[in-house]
Amino acid sequence: MNKQFFIKTFGCQMNVADSERISVLLTEQGMTLASCPENAQVIIINGCTVREKAVHKAISTLGEFQFLKETKDPTLKPWIGIGGCVGQLDKKKLFKKAPYLDFVFGTDTIDHLPEILHRVKSGERHVVYADFDPSMNYSTETKVYGDQAQAFVNIMKGCDKYCTYCIVPYTRGKEKSRTIDEVLDDIARLVELGVREVTLLGQNVNSFGKGNANTKNREPGELQNIIGKVGPRAGEENFPQLLRAMDEDPRLKDLKRIRFTSSHPLDFSDELIQCYAPLDQGGISKLARHLHLPVQSGSNAVLKKMGRHHQIETYISQMDRLRQLSPEVGLSTDLIVGFPSETEEDFKQTLALLDRIQFDNIYAFAYSERPGTRASQLEDTVSESQKKERLQTVLKYQLAIAEKRYASRIGKVMEVLVEGEAKNQRMMDSSLSVNDKDWHKVWTGKTTCHRVVNFIWTSPRNILGKLINVKIIGATGLALQGQVVNEELR
Ligand code: SF4
């Protein structure tokens, strides 16, 4: 039997992490990653449902693989499956859209893939594993390939917020968190394997810990949410406690940075803001000075319709407080433009918010209706052309802000955690080029505030996962160009 698999991933970092997990699971079954779908025995689409376009992409990609099923030689026919939020939501309905599909799995059933493939191999057709795990416990072990400096670590899953436009609570289920002890053991193992930066993942990582009783070693931390007590209550584990435990665990001494995504402003507590403080004021040394905090709109009227339960004034005060404690913090956010009822005035308030906060980066999308959500019942008052226009406007507006913010870094020395060789081996400034020595390469990494920095390294030493000081000599709105200050690696 051909023992290769091919995965196509759509969507957010949760899906990227899930695909990584699928890859490792199949590798453990003796399979290898195929370079193209034509070579694979197993083809998997890991689909996203967050926007209509993403669903269409997943289904049309499925269609592109149909011809591979038409071969007369049964031993060459691949088994095709679809998973992720698309599988979770549409389950067996997907066989109507794509009868040639062999299996469907959901976000909670990834670990059943070996079983699913066994059933398909035994001749079963249309196998579905897309039920939620009904237990409240969430336990898992992060799977990574050996040689990587970074890893995504799922710490919680699901979402209880039910924003009116969002399908995620229906595709990822109710919030469940791993325990602090389990996460620490998991990361200690990753650090032993060479991981130096972890990104803690979940739909709302800052509501981590709901329902997990504090272990006897940790005193309950009081949650001081600015708006309401939506996150974990006193007596339960919470996210700042996890960060502090990671900072203090001696097994994690070689871990250099902790990042996390994504978060909700309702759970962005004072206790969490304090983790960004300077070290002598109780800040956490390993916590990257970057925050991705989705705001979605600059208008309170629109936020209310979105069911976000936070207000712009609160968001601004959270960001002000954060910048007071950590002036160099990098900020990014998500925005939806053209939500039903959004007026020109509402949209202007979103642009005003960009001016006020000065984000380093935004992820902006035009609203697209998701069937089954509460927002799909609202009258869509913004035309498609207005949505497109607002999207272009907001992106252009932000690019100008980002260019200024990135350019302000020129001349500074910044600490970069090296992530690997850059895909593009040309530097922005063509006067600097990689010469013909094999080991002269453009490398890439990120600053603590999440800015991408490319630089030339002219030594044969492998610098993957190392911290290095780089002087910034060029900038665009997307990346910085640096020059290595000295060869000291940490
Ligand atoms: S917080 Fe809102 S937007 Fe984020 S996953 Fe939950 S329901 Fe969706």
Side-chain angles (χ1 to χ4, degrees):
M1 181 190 116
N2 167 2
K3 291 207 151 205
Q4 294 189 52
F5 64 93
F6 180 85
I7 304 180
K8 181 91 185 157
T9 309
F10 297 95
C12 65
Q13 277 172 319
M14 296 283 284
N15 265 18
V16 173
D18 285 350
S19 287
E20 218 168 272
R21 183 171 191 83
I22 293 169
S23 296
V24 179
L25 269 170
L26 296 184
T27 307
E28 284 171 357
Q29 301 296 308
M31 301 191 78
T32 54
L33 193 60
S35 54
C36 60
E38 287 80 1
N39 292 344
Q41 171 67 65
V42 176
I43 297 176
I44 292 174
I45 312 283
N46 192 6
C48 164
T49 54
V50 79
R51 269 168 280 282
E52 204 180 350
K53 226 173 164 181
V55 179
H56 286 160
K57 260 195 197 162
I59 303 292
S60 67
T61 307
L62 208 52
E64 287 169 24
F65 298 137
Q66 186 181 358
F67 81 97
L68 295 169
K69 284 282 207 185
E70 282 157 12
T71 170
K72 293 214 168 63
D73 181 348
T75 61
L76 294 178
K77 279 190 210 281
W79 305 324
I80 301 180
I82 190 162
C85 295
V86 174
Q88 188 69 52
L89 199 66
D90 287 347
K91 301 183 175 60
K92 61 181 183 195
K93 278 193 235 155
L94 288 159
F95 297 124
K96 279 211 174 111
K97 289 184 189 156
Y100 50 88
L101 199 58
D102 294 291
F103 59 97
V104 171
F105 61 100
T107 51
D108 244 14
T109 47
I110 289 170
D111 290 354
H112 292 280
L113 262 175
E115 206 175 311
I116 296 172
L117 292 179
H118 181 74
R119 288 177 58 179
V120 174
K121 191 179 166 195
S122 320
E124 270 189 65
R125 294 208 61 231
H126 293 180
V127 177
V128 186
Y129 275 59
D131 288 335
F132 282 123
D133 170 4
S135 74
M136 255 322 279
N137 295 335
Y138 175 33
S139 174
T140 186
E141 187 184 81
T142 306
K143 294 189 179 286
V144 290
Y145 285 120
D147 193 16
Q148 61 185 77
Q150 296 158 292
F152 291 119
V153 175
N154 285 307
I155 59 164
M156 57 85 65
K157 60 180 178 178
C159 180
D160 294 347
K161 297 287 187 292
Y162 290 90
C163 301
T164 59
Y165 54 84
C166 184
I167 198 79
V168 165
Y170 310 97
T171 60
R172 295 262 172 189
K174 305 256 333 146
E175 287 180 5
K176 295 179 190 179
S177 298
R178 297 172 72 188
T179 62
I180 289 180
D181 287 337
E182 186 190 291
V183 175
L184 291 178
D185 290 348
D186 194 22
I187 297 176
R189 193 180 45 82
L190 297 178
V191 171
E192 284 224 336
L193 292 172
V195 168
R196 295 294 173 261
E197 176 181 295
V198 289
T199 302
L200 306 176
L201 279 187
Q203 252 71 45
N204 284 306
V205 288
N206 54 349
S207 94
F208 168 87
K210 261 205 273 181
N212 293 354
N214 258 299
T215 61
K216 59 182 178 321
N217 301 332
R218 286 183 204 98
E219 287 304 309
E222 180 141 347
L223 183 78
Q224 293 162 5
N225 264 328
I226 295 172
I227 301 180
K229 302 210 181 298
V230 178
R233 293 180 294 267
E236 293 175 328
E237 292 186 337
N238 73 25
F239 187 56
Q241 287 174 356
L242 171 65
L243 294 176
R244 291 198 183 280
M246 286 176 69
D247 211 37
E248 286 159 15
D249 191 321
R251 296 172 300 167
L252 273 52
K253 73 172 179 0
D254 290 333
L255 183 72
K256 289 168 181 157
R257 280 191 192 147
I258 306 168
R259 299 190 186 278
F260 63 91
T261 194
S262 190
S263 310
H264 191 291
L266 269 186
D267 296 315
F268 195 62
S269 61
D270 276 349
E271 191 183 353
L272 181 51
I273 293 176
Q274 198 58 37
C275 297
Y276 287 84
L279 302 192
D280 59 358
Q281 291 173 39
I284 292 182
S285 64
K286 292 184 201 293
L287 179 63
R289 278 8 186 202
H290 170 251
L291 173 71
H292 180 76
L293 192 63
V295 65
Q296 307 298 7
S297 170
S299 154
N300 280 333
V302 174
L303 288 177
K304 196 165 178 202
K305 287 237 148 84
M306 288 177 164
R308 291 286 291 171
H309 305 290
H310 67 89
Q311 295 213 317
I312 281 308
E313 295 74 13
T314 320
Y315 187 92
I316 291 173
S317 81
Q318 287 169 320
M319 296 303 99
D320 284 352
R321 172 105 180 91
L322 185 63
R323 277 227 170 94
Q324 259 171 18
L325 288 173
S326 179
E328 293 295 315
V329 69
L331 299 177
S332 56
T333 198
D334 293 338
L335 289 169
I336 297 171
V337 297
F339 190 77
S341 84
E342 184 190 72
T343 62
E344 273 302 322
E345 186 46 44
D346 293 320
F347 179 63
K348 279 186 191 149
Q349 289 177 20
T350 296
L351 298 181
L353 184 76
L354 299 188
D355 276 333
R356 175 68 173 79
I357 303 286
Q358 297 282 300
F359 292 105
D360 295 84
N361 199 5
I362 62 165
Y363 300 87
F365 299 93
Y367 171 72
S368 94
E369 183 192 308
R370 302 305 303 116
T373 60
R374 283 181 291 151
S376 66
Q377 310 294 317
L378 299 172
E379 191 192 345
D380 202 351
T381 53
V382 188
S383 69
E384 287 308 310
S385 62
Q386 276 172 317
K387 283 181 198 167
K388 272 191 194 148
E389 200 183 309
R390 287 180 193 173
L391 182 60
Q392 290 315 315
T393 305
V394 82
L395 291 173
K396 213 168 137 197
Y397 205 84
Q398 171 59 25
L399 188 61
I401 293 173
E403 277 171 357
K404 267 197 211 146
R405 290 189 59 77
Y406 273 55
S408 72
R409 294 307 185 268
I410 292 176
K412 296 200 171 175
V413 172
M414 304 185 91
E415 191 180 58
V416 173
L417 182 68
V418 184
E419 292 178 4
E421 291 173 16
K423 280 198 187 112
N424 183 349
Q425 282 293 306
R426 278 177 307 137
M427 291 282 274
M428 301 167 231
D429 179 347
S430 54
S431 65
L432 286 169
S433 62
V434 178
N435 76 15
D436 53 5
K437 287 212 173 77
D438 273 357
W439 58 77
H440 287 204
K441 296 257 167 63
V442 179
W443 287 75
T444 190
K446 287 200 190 79
T447 61
T448 181
C449 47
H450 210 241
R451 292 184 178 96
V452 175
V453 182
N454 298 311
F455 60 94
I456 294 171
W457 177 247
T458 57
S459 152
R461 285 163 77 193
N462 183 359
I463 52 175
L464 181 73
K466 300 286 182 196
L467 285 169
I468 188 167
N469 282 344
V470 169
K471 183 170 180 189
I472 306 305
I473 55 171
T476 67
L478 298 172
L480 298 169
Q481 182 182 23
Q483 235 170 16
V484 172
V485 173
N486 56 46
E487 295 199 357
E488 189 192 312
L489 302 172
R490 294 177 296 284

